[in-house]
Coordinates of all heavy atoms in Angstrom, one line a residue:
N13 N -13.0 -41.2 -57.3 CA -12.2 -41.9 -56.2 C -11.9 -43.3 -56.4 O -11.4 -44.0 -55.5 CB -12.9 -41.7 -54.9 CG -13.1 -40.2 -54.5 OD1 -12.2 -39.4 -54.7 ND2 -14.2 -39.9 -53.9
I14 N -12.3 -43.9 -57.6 CA -12.0 -45.3 -57.9 C -11.0 -45.4 -59.1 O -11.3 -44.8 -60.1 CB -13.3 -46.1 -58.2 CG1 -14.2 -46.1 -57.0 CG2 -13.0 -47.5 -58.7 CD1 -15.5 -46.9 -57.2
T15 N -10.0 -46.1 -58.8 CA -9.0 -46.5 -59.9 C -9.1 -48.0 -60.1 O -9.1 -48.7 -59.2 CB -7.6 -46.1 -59.5 OG1 -7.5 -44.7 -59.2 CG2 -6.6 -46.4 -60.6
V16 N -9.2 -48.4 -61.4 CA -9.3 -49.8 -61.7 C -8.1 -50.3 -62.3 O -7.5 -49.7 -63.3 CB -10.5 -50.0 -62.6 CG1 -10.7 -51.5 -62.9 CG2 -11.8 -49.5 -62.0
Q17 N -7.6 -51.4 -61.8 CA -6.5 -52.2 -62.4 C -7.0 -53.5 -63.0 O -7.8 -54.2 -62.3 CB -5.4 -52.5 -61.4 CG -4.6 -51.2 -60.9 CD -3.5 -51.6 -59.9 OE1 -3.2 -52.8 -59.7 NE2 -2.9 -50.6 -59.3
C18 N -6.6 -53.8 -64.2 CA -7.2 -55.0 -64.8 C -6.1 -56.0 -65.2 O -5.0 -55.6 -65.7 CB -7.9 -54.6 -66.1 SG -8.7 -55.9 -67.0
G19 N -6.3 -57.3 -64.9 CA -5.4 -58.3 -65.2 C -5.1 -59.3 -64.1 O -5.2 -58.9 -62.9
Y20 N -4.8 -60.5 -64.4 CA -4.5 -61.5 -63.4 C -3.1 -61.1 -62.8 O -2.2 -60.7 -63.5 CB -4.4 -62.9 -64.0 CG -5.8 -63.4 -64.4 CD1 -6.2 -63.3 -65.7 CD2 -6.6 -64.1 -63.5 CE1 -7.5 -63.8 -66.1 CE2 -7.9 -64.5 -63.9 CZ -8.3 -64.4 -65.2 OH -9.5 -64.8 -65.6
Q21 N -3.0 -61.3 -61.5 CA -1.8 -60.9 -60.8 C -1.2 -62.1 -60.0 O -1.9 -62.9 -59.4 CB -2.1 -59.8 -59.7 CG -2.5 -58.5 -60.3 CD -2.7 -57.4 -59.3 OE1 -2.5 -57.7 -58.1 NE2 -3.1 -56.3 -59.7
T22 N 0.2 -62.2 -60.1 CA 0.9 -63.2 -59.2 C 0.9 -62.6 -57.8 O 0.6 -61.4 -57.6 CB 2.3 -63.4 -59.8 OG1 3.0 -62.1 -59.7 CG2 2.3 -63.8 -61.2
V23 N 1.4 -63.4 -56.9 CA 1.6 -62.9 -55.5 C 2.5 -61.7 -55.5 O 2.3 -60.7 -54.8 CB 2.1 -64.0 -54.6 CG1 2.4 -63.4 -53.2 CG2 1.1 -65.1 -54.5
A24 N 3.6 -61.8 -56.3 CA 4.6 -60.7 -56.3 C 3.9 -59.4 -56.9 O 4.1 -58.3 -56.3 CB 5.8 -61.0 -57.2
E25 N 3.1 -59.6 -57.9 CA 2.4 -58.4 -58.4 C 1.3 -57.9 -57.5 O 1.1 -56.6 -57.4 CB 1.7 -58.8 -59.8 CG 2.8 -59.0 -60.9 CD 2.2 -59.7 -62.1 OE1 1.1 -60.4 -62.0 OE2 2.8 -59.5 -63.2
M26 N 0.7 -58.8 -56.7 CA -0.2 -58.3 -55.7 C 0.5 -57.5 -54.6 O 0.0 -56.5 -54.2 CB -0.9 -59.5 -55.1 CG -2.0 -60.2 -55.9 SD -2.7 -61.6 -55.1 CE -3.9 -62.1 -56.3
C27 N 1.7 -57.9 -54.3 CA 2.5 -57.2 -53.3 C 2.8 -55.8 -53.8 O 2.7 -54.8 -53.0 CB 3.8 -57.9 -53.0 SG 3.6 -59.4 -52.0
D28 N 3.1 -55.6 -55.1 CA 3.4 -54.3 -55.6 C 2.1 -53.4 -55.5 O 2.3 -52.2 -55.3 CB 3.7 -54.4 -57.1 CG 5.1 -55.1 -57.3 OD1 5.9 -55.0 -56.4 OD2 5.3 -55.6 -58.5
T29 N 1.0 -54.0 -55.6 CA -0.3 -53.2 -55.5 C -0.7 -53.0 -54.0 O -1.1 -51.9 -53.7 CB -1.4 -54.0 -56.2 OG1 -1.1 -54.2 -57.6 CG2 -2.7 -53.2 -56.1
I30 N -0.5 -54.0 -53.2 CA -1.0 -53.9 -51.8 C 0.0 -53.2 -50.9 O -0.5 -52.5 -50.0 CB -1.2 -55.3 -51.3 CG1 -2.4 -56.0 -52.1 CG2 -1.5 -55.3 -49.8 CD1 -2.6 -57.5 -51.8
C31 N 1.3 -53.3 -51.0 CA 2.2 -52.8 -50.0 C 2.0 -51.3 -49.9 O 1.9 -50.5 -50.8 CB 3.7 -53.1 -50.5 SG 4.1 -54.8 -50.1
G32 N 2.0 -50.9 -48.6 CA 1.7 -49.5 -48.3 C 0.3 -49.1 -48.1 O 0.0 -48.0 -47.7
A33 N -0.6 -50.1 -48.4 CA -2.1 -49.8 -48.2 C -2.4 -49.9 -46.7 O -1.8 -50.5 -45.9 CB -2.9 -50.8 -49.0
D34 N -3.5 -49.2 -46.4 CA -4.0 -49.3 -45.1 C -4.9 -50.5 -44.8 O -5.2 -50.9 -43.7 CB -4.8 -48.0 -44.7 CG -4.0 -46.8 -44.7 OD1 -3.4 -46.5 -43.7 OD2 -3.9 -46.1 -45.8
L35 N -5.5 -51.0 -45.9 CA -6.4 -52.1 -45.9 C -6.5 -52.8 -47.2 O -6.5 -52.1 -48.3 CB -7.8 -51.7 -45.4 CG -8.9 -52.8 -45.3 CD1 -8.5 -53.7 -44.1 CD2 -10.3 -52.1 -45.0
C36 N -6.6 -54.1 -47.2 CA -6.9 -54.9 -48.5 C -8.2 -55.7 -48.2 O -8.3 -56.4 -47.3 CB -5.8 -55.8 -48.8 SG -6.1 -56.8 -50.3
I37 N -9.1 -55.5 -49.1 CA -10.4 -56.2 -49.1 C -10.5 -57.2 -50.2 O -10.3 -56.9 -51.4 CB -11.6 -55.2 -49.2 CG1 -11.5 -54.1 -48.1 CG2 -12.9 -55.9 -49.2 CD1 -12.5 -53.0 -48.3
D38 N -10.8 -58.4 -49.8 CA -10.9 -59.5 -50.8 C -12.4 -59.8 -51.0 O -13.1 -60.4 -50.2 CB -10.2 -60.8 -50.2 CG -10.4 -62.0 -51.1 OD1 -10.9 -61.9 -52.2 OD2 -9.9 -63.1 -50.7
A39 N -12.9 -59.3 -52.2 CA -14.3 -59.5 -52.5 C -14.3 -60.3 -53.8 O -15.2 -60.1 -54.6 CB -15.0 -58.1 -52.8
T40 N -13.4 -61.3 -53.9 CA -13.5 -62.2 -55.1 C -14.5 -63.2 -54.9 O -15.1 -63.4 -53.8 CB -12.1 -62.8 -55.3 OG1 -11.7 -63.5 -54.1 CG2 -11.0 -61.8 -55.6
H41 N -14.8 -64.0 -56.0 CA -15.8 -65.0 -56.0 C -15.6 -66.1 -54.9 O -14.4 -66.4 -54.6 CB -15.9 -65.6 -57.4 CG -17.2 -66.4 -57.6 ND1 -17.4 -67.7 -57.3 CD2 -18.4 -66.0 -58.2 CE1 -18.6 -68.1 -57.6 NE2 -19.2 -67.0 -58.1
P42 N -16.7 -66.6 -54.3 CA -16.5 -67.6 -53.3 C -15.7 -68.9 -53.7 O -15.2 -69.6 -52.9 CB -18.0 -68.0 -52.9 CG -18.8 -66.8 -53.3 CD -18.1 -66.2 -54.5
Y43 N -15.7 -69.1 -55.1 CA -15.1 -70.3 -55.6 C -13.6 -70.0 -56.0 O -12.9 -71.0 -56.5 CB -15.9 -70.9 -56.7 CG -17.1 -71.6 -56.3 CD1 -18.3 -70.9 -56.0 CD2 -17.2 -73.0 -56.1 CE1 -19.4 -71.5 -55.5 CE2 -18.4 -73.7 -55.7 CZ -19.5 -72.9 -55.4 OH -20.6 -73.5 -55.0
A44 N -13.2 -68.8 -55.9 CA -11.9 -68.4 -56.4 C -10.8 -68.7 -55.3 O -10.2 -67.7 -54.8 CB -11.8 -67.0 -56.8

């Protein structure tokens, strides 16, 4: 049930990943 995408993303690339999702969780590092 887990699919992993690897690589730095621009905002536009994030939109490609996020759009249509029911929820986005930001669990990145506190300093990022």
Side-chain angles (χ1 to χ4, degrees):
N13 297 324
I14 293 179
T15 300
V16 181
Q17 294 184 5
C18 183
Y20 292 95
Q21 295 182 2
T22 63
V23 173
E25 290 168 336
M26 288 177 175
C27 286
D28 290 339
T29 301
I30 293 171
C31 283
D34 295 274
L35 179 67
C36 178
I37 301 170
D38 176 5
T40 58
H41 196 273
Y43 288 80

